[in-house]
Amino acid sequence: MHHPTTQPGQEQATQQTVAHDHGNGHEHHKESFFSKYVFSMDHKMIAKQFLITGMVWAIIGAGFSVLFRLQLGYPDQSFPWLETILGHWAKGGHISPEAYYALVTMHGTILIFFVLTAGLSGTFANLLIPLQVGARDMASPFMNMLSYWFFFLASVVMMTSLFVQTGPAAGGWTSYPPLSALGSAAIGSRIGMDLWLASMALFVVSQLLGGLNYISTILNMRTKGMALNRMPLTIWALFFTAVLGVLSFPVLLSGFILLLLDRHAGTSFYLSDLYVAGRALSNEGGSAILYQHLFWFLGHPEVYIVILPAMGIVSEVLAINARKPIFGYMAMVGSLFAITALAFVVWAHHMFVTGMNPFLGSFFVLLTLLIAVPSAIKVFNWLTTIYRGSMHFTPASLFSIGFVSTFISGGLTGIWLGNSSIDIHVHDTYFVIAHFHLVMGVSAIFGMFAGIYHWFPKMYGRYMNTTLGYIHFWITLIGAYLIFWPMHYEGLAGMPRRYYDYSNWESFKQFEPLNQFITVVAVTVFFTQLLFVFNFFYSLFKGRKLTTTNPWNATTLEWTTPIRPGHGNWPGEIPEVHRWAYDYSKDGKDFIPQTVPEMPDEKAAHVPASDKTPV
């Protein structure tokens, strides 16, 4: 498992493409604006491109949620300014039903794929993998650049769908047929649906290019001494995330191709025995359930594609800020592996109400409850890492603790939903919305915020404003619970999701004040995120400058590079690794970097560092 040498091929390729100034880590040759900032092959610049593109999408996607929350909280009121924004989709200041479904669809698509998949993995895999394993760049910098530009192209196509006359896709973020397969079924199933499918196909290509690059870099380009059991947990998490994506995204693409054929080539993969406006269609023999199998075979690994990078970031940030070794390193790696393996065999728990054979359903119940075990191991290890630690409450560590909180509270309700008998009652209710927004949406966003606050100095050579970071954290954490916790009770009462107006339902009128409260909090939290955006861009230019290469006193390799590393990361030789990544509060020292050789008495102990973690 030991990597023998710094790879000759890697060094040679680097020398051909990058001339290093050994004095400051910057390049000799002049780069044009386009080669440095636009079509960059430097993994650090590509990380910034993913991050800022993801932030733009996050504002748009979260903005959509504010708009449809206005409809849910105040269904009888009109807001004249809405017509200014949405035009004929909100005549008289009242969102139309078609616009409502389009907003919900685009909100889910944007946040899950464009922000939490591309924004989170694209940013931190690109930034951290070469820096933390000790590589000059990715295995293929050109393929890395392409992965961003395919994502950008997907973004352009998705954005275009917002401006077509019939509007964007409106069949839900899952785009179930037959609604998505028939252009005549709804106004949101026309050109907007085609653009949605084209955008998602480009997105899948981006993810595959990125994922293959991440796996190749981690396996082949680690510096001397960087054995697998010395890699930081961030790298393990990003590695398993890439494996999940490479194996499951092609299945989603095949599902989309079949959907396009049903839409335009007269096939019947998903269509059978349908009537539209009283007219029988000629399609026979297809099954809409087939699409659900293909979609959820990606859709459930997707949950872990979103959450694993956040888990890795949180593990790293908590260990650094608790000034303690991560508790149970090998258990953490093992649980990441277990989650990755089990993620492929639990997809049908999304389909308990599709008429599945109950005997088959019982297997998916067992496997779904089983996947809670490695997640529980991780939670236990995070809590024991924090326990009796000398905690530094930076914005990054607070968001990491917030992640653990929302992951526990949101994850516990997953045990309910994983039980098929209970799921039949709460499926497609607000209980599901509450569960996955807390465990996946909020938790993953918290992991992303923790990573941005923590590695911002590495990316930009400046600090973000700490006071604004504290304000951002507390309002976001409290707001997240106030928004999503009450939805559990609405769901248990049977309140269905995706409905446009609940005011005509006698049984759900009781929730009108609660829905208004949730809407007010959602608007407040949204504007708090704009405070974060202001902090980010203000700090970019005016933030306090970094004066040391290792501001957090961390042990990992990225803090051994210059403050503003050039393309190639290290001006001289790549450092050699001698120990694991979590030697904190050891031998009377606050921290021991990975580059410091082990002492003879350490070697004599013959005990893996991960097994001597103090509690």
Side-chain angles (χ1 to χ4, degrees), residues 496-515:
R497 63 196 282 203
R498 299 195 180 99
Y499 276 51
Y500 169 71
D501 186 353
Y502 295 93
S503 60
N504 295 323
W505 294 50
E506 284 300 325
S507 50
F508 302 130
K509 273 187 176 175
Q510 59 177 315
F511 293 121
E512 190 176 338
L514 184 57
N515 279 331

Side-chain angles (χ1 to χ4, degrees), residues 105-106 109 113-114 150-151 153-162 164 167-183 188-206 249-265 267 270-271 291 294-295:
T105 299
M106 297 305 286
T109 303
F113 292 113
F114 286 53
F150 269 103
F151 168 52
L153 198 55
S155 299
V156 170
V157 175
M158 191 66 77
M159 184 69 79
T160 304
S161 75
L162 298 173
V164 296
W173 76 277
T174 56
S175 291
Y176 282 173
L179 186 61
S180 61
L182 299 170
S189 299
R190 296 178 192 169
I191 183 72
M193 191 69 233
D194 287 323
L195 290 168
W196 188 92
L197 288 167
S199 171
M200 289 304 299
L202 292 166
F203 178 83
V204 170
V205 173
S206 161
F249 267 113
V251 177
L252 181 70
L253 184 58
S254 68
F256 288 161
I257 290 169
L258 299 185
L259 185 55
L260 278 169
L261 290 172
D262 274 11
R263 286 175 62 82
H264 299 295
T267 58
Y270 308 131
L271 303 174
Y291 176 88
L294 294 173
F295 182 88

Side-chain angles (χ1 to χ4, degrees), residues 30-42:
K30 296 263 182 174
E31 287 188 294
S32 69
F33 175 84
F34 282 98
S35 69
K36 185 170 182 181
Y37 295 106
V38 183
F39 299 109
S40 175
M41 293 193 205
D42 183 355

Side-chain angles (χ1 to χ4, degrees), residues 70-71 74-82 90-95:
L70 288 174
Q71 165 61 32
Y74 304 93
D76 300 323
Q77 291 189 31
S78 63
F79 300 90
W81 55 271
L82 281 175
K91 281 182 181 170
H94 207 84
I95 294 174

